[in-house]
């Protein structure tokens, strides 16, 4: 069974930090991407990391504030977020490309991933 479950979302003040987790049970040799989606908007790709974590991509919107990493022994991929802004408010989702251990091109395109979690809500507000 392939399953991805996000956690770590919360209400946080502007300038704060959060670490999101993506637990990918049942498989651990695939590229993992992080996306976010605000109500009424399309999913926005943020980052992707390969199975061997030797190839990482970030979207321009990250602007140096987010860091993606993974712990294959724990079957978990993380997204560390700092200096959060109100515009970061969204549902954050992780996704896997089961076709390869390498990030797809383009890594920001949702159609390039074939397994998704339900998402975890991040709200940035004072």
């Amino acid at each position: 069974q392939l399953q991805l479950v996000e956690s770590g979302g919360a209400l946080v003040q502007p300038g704060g930090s959060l670490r999101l987790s993506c637990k990918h049970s049942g498989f651990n040799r695939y590229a993992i991407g992080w996306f976010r989606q605000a109500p009424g908007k399309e999913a926005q790709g943020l980052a992707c990391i390969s199975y061997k974590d030797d190839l990482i991509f970030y979207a321009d919107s990250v602007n140096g504030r987010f860091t993606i990493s993974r712990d294959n022994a724990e079957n978990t991929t993380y997204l560390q977020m700092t200096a959060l802004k109100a515009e970061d408010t969204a549902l954050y989702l992780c996704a896997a490309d089961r076709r390869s251990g390498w990030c797809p091109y383009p890594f920001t395109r949702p159609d390039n991933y074939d397994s998704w979690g339900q998402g975890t809500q991040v709200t940035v507000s004072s």
Side-chain angles (χ1 to χ4, degrees):
Q1 287 291 306
L2 306 179
Q3 184 177 13
L4 292 85
V5 180
E6 303 91 339
S7 63
L11 173 64
V12 63
Q13 294 184 352
S17 300
L18 283 175
R19 188 180 73 161
L20 306 182
S21 298
C22 173
K23 179 77 171 182
H24 25 95
S25 301
F27 60 97
N28 195 36
R29 293 183 172 85
Y30 311 114
I32 301 293
W34 278 101
F35 291 75
R36 67 185 180 189
Q37 187 170 27
K41 300 179 64 177
E42 294 185 352
Q44 180 186 26
L46 301 173
C48 183
I49 185 169
S50 67
Y51 164 62
K52 293 294 186 180
D53 69 25
D54 57 353
L55 192 61
I56 295 174
F57 298 92
Y58 293 107
D60 290 342
S61 60
V62 168
N63 197 29
R65 298 181 298 118
F66 297 176
T67 302
I68 190 171
S69 62
R70 67 190 294 165
D71 185 340
N72 289 335
E74 296 293 329
N75 289 353
T76 303
T77 297
Y78 304 97
L79 185 69
Q80 178 69 48
M81 307 187 295
T82 61
L84 287 165
K85 310 170 184 178
E87 51 262 45
D88 294 320
T89 296
L91 182 72
Y92 283 71
L93 308 99
C94 62
D97 180 4
R98 295 179 294 176
R99 298 165 297 183
S100 176
W102 305 104
C103 290
Y105 178 84
F107 72 94
T108 53
R109 184 178 176 90
D111 288 348
N112 284 333
Y113 301 81
D114 53 21
S115 185
W116 291 80
Q118 294 298 115
T120 185
Q121 180 66 37
V122 173
T123 302
V124 184
S125 176
S126 60

